[in-house]
Amino acid sequence: MAPVVDTVIFVDIDGVLNVGIRDHENAPLLLNDSNVKTALLYKDYPFKGYSAEQECITKVVSVVERCLGDDKLAGTYRDLACGSKQHYSPVLVDRLAEIIRASGSASVVLSSNWRRAKYASRVRSLESEVSKRLGAEFKFDGRTEDCEEISAADRLRCIGNYVRRLCAEREGSGARGPLRALVLDDFFVSPLDGWICGGAR
């Protein structure tokens, strides 16, 4: 019989374990070493007129120089950049590992778009990095359902469906006590209000 889950951690990746920079309707610009190097190299280049490339460079440089909080000693967003061939920040992976370690026997669930098959190699790489930090093999214990998500409400609905199924399993096993849930998600970079989910706001 599978162990009863008392604590579950839902993990998003993009915007949580990496830093993305909005680029109009395009995919976010990933803050990684390669993009940072290019932006700093060309930040003073004399572009003529409007240039999409110049706008991207300006955005990256702005984020790179931004402080992490009010205390300049805390560093800048440059410290959170991914490696050139990675899609996650080593610093943020460190923090995830610390949370997992502190949680004890929590079930860790992948709720990111990375749960889809096309990102399998990225997930394996991430699991390997977390394993190194924990000093023990780490694998995600589950994934939320693979459904279309275009808004924060869609993500919340997927997480809610997982919790509902988990509660049913706990009830069937006779588990007592509350289920604790921690959600690490940027919810599509949305403000935490104004959502409509299941008819409720």
Side-chain angles (χ1 to χ4, degrees):
M1 179 181 292
V4 175
V5 174
D6 293 318
T7 304
V8 58
I9 302 174
F10 294 95
V11 181
D12 183 19
I13 307 296
D14 294 321
V16 174
L17 296 185
N18 60 34
V19 177
I21 305 167
R22 282 186 172 175
D23 184 28
H24 301 291
E25 300 302 319
N26 302 314
L29 300 167
L30 182 64
L31 187 68
N32 63 16
D33 290 339
S34 178
N35 287 340
V36 169
K37 181 179 179 180
T38 299
L40 294 177
L41 180 64
Y42 288 99
K43 68 175 184 177
D44 297 321
Y45 185 83
F47 291 92
K48 294 182 179 179
Y50 171 78
S51 166
E53 289 82 5
Q54 183 180 26
E55 181 179 356
C56 290
I57 288 169
T58 300
K59 288 179 179 179
V60 172
V61 171
S62 174
V63 171
V64 164
E65 296 175 345
R66 187 168 301 176
C67 292
L68 294 169
D70 297 330
D71 186 357
K72 292 184 178 180
L73 295 178
T76 67
Y77 276 87
R78 172 70 181 86
D79 301 323
L80 304 182
C82 306
S84 296
K85 297 183 179 180
Q86 296 174 326
H87 290 80
Y88 45 78
S89 162
V91 172
L92 299 179
V93 174
D94 286 344
R95 294 178 184 176
L96 174 62
E98 290 175 8
I99 291 171
I100 294 172
R101 183 182 294 109
S103 70
S105 59
S107 175
V108 186
V109 176
L110 186 62
S111 55
S112 165
N113 286 334
W114 284 30
R115 67 189 185 276
R116 299 189 169 90
K118 65 180 181 178
Y119 298 115
S121 63
R122 290 188 188 179
V123 173
R124 287 193 297 270
S125 176
L126 174 59
E127 290 173 331
S128 176
E129 290 301 316
V130 175
S131 296
K132 293 176 185 177
R133 289 158 172 80
L134 293 177
E137 183 180 25
F138 169 80
K139 298 286 185 185
F140 284 101
D141 297 298
R143 288 165 167 73
T144 51
E145 61 188 310
D146 188 354
C147 60
E148 183 179 11
E149 296 173 319
I150 59 175
S151 69
D154 295 331
R155 174 62 55 82
L156 188 61
R157 187 178 301 110
C158 284
I159 292 173
N161 289 342
Y162 191 98
V163 170
R164 184 182 298 111
R165 292 193 300 272
L166 187 54
C167 287
E169 292 174 6
R170 282 168 47 84
E171 183 177 352
S173 66
R176 297 182 179 180
L179 171 67
R180 299 177 297 179
L182 172 63
V183 180
L184 304 175
D185 204 302
D186 72 341
F187 289 106
F188 296 85
V189 200
S190 300
L192 294 176
D193 60 15
W195 304 353
I196 298 178
C197 186
R201 182 180 293 272

